[in-house]
Amino acid sequence: MAFWGKILGFIFGFMFFKIPGAILGLVVGHFFDKAYSQDFNQLGGFGRFFTDQNSVKQQAIFFHSLFSSLGHLAKSDGQVTSREIQIATNLMDEMRLTGEARREAQDAFREGKARDFPVVETLKGLYENCHGRRDILQVFLEILIQAAFADGQLSQEEYNVLEKVASPLGFRRRDLDYLISMFEAELRFRQRGGASNAGGGNQRQRQQRAYSDTQTLSDAYKILGVSQSDDEKVIKRAYRKRMAEHHPDKLISKGLPQQAMEIAKQKAQDIQSAYELIKEKRGF
């Protein structure tokens, strides 16, 4: 139940106009609290999915923005495929969205597919409700990048949508390209075991192993956002910065929904693995 409007209205009313002002402030505060509560109720299933009323609005907006943007991304080439629907479904499963919250996610996905869907305005609202917190907004953008790569490649149409999404979130084109490059390195880095452990002695398998040996370390540097020429101090600083951007406890404290945390955890694991490889190769 919202009550801060009545309390503040009473206090400020009494300060300026004594008892009559306190009564007037109480009445005004009551209407403010009522409107505020209605705004929460209009969040539907997403709002009811969370129990912490202090963050319910921000988290509900996060999920609505996410799944409507996914729908917009899926529609970017003119047709939503069964594969793209499955990607959204898998994300709902991974985030453990059930019941009314899942129906809200499905509705948001369908809403985002509309040709006239106001994606920029929607994401401006997300930016405001996240108070411009770059780490939260970066995780949001990284989820969309991961979804765009689910079929193994990024089409020009999908890139155009990602660029349109990135702008109202405060990311420039070069920021987007940087995040895409990092994600591509992460994809190769995660798959390195299969190529490097391939058996047999034919030329193609040897090429796979050689590619893995030469590219794995390079990708590790890309994941940290550094170059091989950087010294130990720069690499350690970059590692700490990247881990801080995806540290689960920090992200939750800043408003990232618990249900979106798996993406951040995977990123943190990649960053940790990349750093360990670099440490091993460089001996520090």
Side-chain angles (χ1 to χ4, degrees):
M1 178 181 295
F3 55 85
W4 282 107
K6 290 186 280 290
I7 293 175
L8 294 175
F10 180 88
I11 292 173
F12 285 116
F14 183 80
M15 287 172 59
F16 289 104
F17 301 107
K18 302 302 180 183
I19 298 299
I23 296 173
L24 178 61
L26 192 64
V27 172
V28 173
H30 168 72
F31 285 109
F32 176 84
D33 289 337
K34 184 177 179 181
Y36 191 64
S37 297
Q38 287 176 343
D39 186 50
F40 276 134
N41 291 336
Q42 289 172 357
L43 295 172
F46 282 131
R48 291 189 291 273
F49 187 58
F50 302 101
T51 57
D52 181 3
Q53 291 300 307
N54 291 324
S55 61
V56 59
K57 183 176 182 180
Q58 179 178 329
Q59 296 188 0
I61 289 175
F62 182 96
F63 277 108
H64 181 271
S65 301
L66 176 61
F67 285 100
S68 59
S69 296
L70 280 173
H72 201 64
L73 184 65
K75 189 68 173 179
S76 61
D77 59 357
Q79 182 178 2
V80 178
T81 66
S82 58
R83 170 65 175 163
E84 288 166 328
I85 294 174
Q86 189 60 49
I87 291 167
T89 301
N90 290 343
L91 188 57
M92 294 175 203
D93 291 339
E94 186 177 340
M95 293 181 173
R96 299 175 184 174
L97 298 181
T98 60
E100 187 66 20
R102 192 180 186 91
R103 285 190 286 274
E104 288 285 331
Q106 292 167 340
D107 289 344
F109 185 82
R110 284 190 288 268
E111 182 182 329
K113 293 190 297 182
R115 183 183 298 273
D116 58 349
F117 174 68
V119 63
V120 173
E121 289 74 14
T122 297
L123 295 174
K124 283 181 179 178
L126 173 66
Y127 181 91
E128 292 172 1
N129 277 276
C130 288
H131 306 290
R133 294 188 178 104
R134 193 172 180 85
D135 42 8
I136 299 296
L137 297 170
Q138 181 171 314
V139 171
F140 180 94
L141 186 54
E142 286 171 342
I143 294 174
L144 292 179
I145 291 172
Q146 180 170 317
F149 272 95
D151 61 354
Q153 60 184 358
L154 179 68
S155 69
Q156 183 61 49
E157 291 81 7
E158 288 170 329
Y159 179 85
N160 293 341
V161 171
L162 288 175
E163 191 175 13
K164 185 164 63 172
V165 166
S167 181
L169 298 181
F171 294 89
R172 289 174 288 185
R173 182 171 184 172
R174 68 180 184 185
D175 299 323
L176 174 62
D177 291 342
Y178 178 69
L179 292 176
I180 289 174
S181 176
M182 279 188 170
F183 182 72
E184 289 175 319
E186 289 167 16
L187 282 180
R188 293 190 297 267
F189 196 78
R190 293 172 195 172
Q191 298 166 0
R192 68 193 186 282
S196 61
N197 295 327
N202 64 46
Q203 183 178 358
R204 182 174 181 180
Q205 288 170 332
R206 287 195 297 271
Q207 287 175 341
Q208 286 179 324
R209 289 195 295 272
Y211 176 81
S212 177
D213 290 342
T214 56
Q215 287 295 112
T216 300
L217 187 59
S218 175
D219 286 337
Y221 283 109
K222 286 182 180 179
I223 290 170
L224 295 188
V226 297
S227 68
Q228 298 190 36
S229 61
D230 288 328
D231 61 27
E232 178 181 335
K233 185 176 180 180
V234 171
I235 293 171
K236 286 183 176 180
R237 185 166 60 243
Y239 163 70
R240 289 192 292 267
K241 179 177 181 294
R242 290 281 286 152
M243 286 298 288
E245 289 173 348
H246 297 88
H247 192 285
D249 293 339
K250 288 185 178 180
L251 290 171
I252 287 179
S253 70
K254 292 183 178 181
L256 183 71
Q258 176 70 47
Q259 291 71 20
M261 195 54 61
E262 286 305 315
I263 303 295
K265 287 180 180 179
Q266 179 65 65
K267 290 276 185 180
Q269 289 171 4
D270 291 337
I271 294 165
Q272 182 68 51
S273 296
Y275 182 63
E276 292 298 329
L277 177 63
I278 293 171
K279 280 176 59 181
E280 177 187 339
K281 297 296 184 181
R282 296 182 61 146
F284 61 79

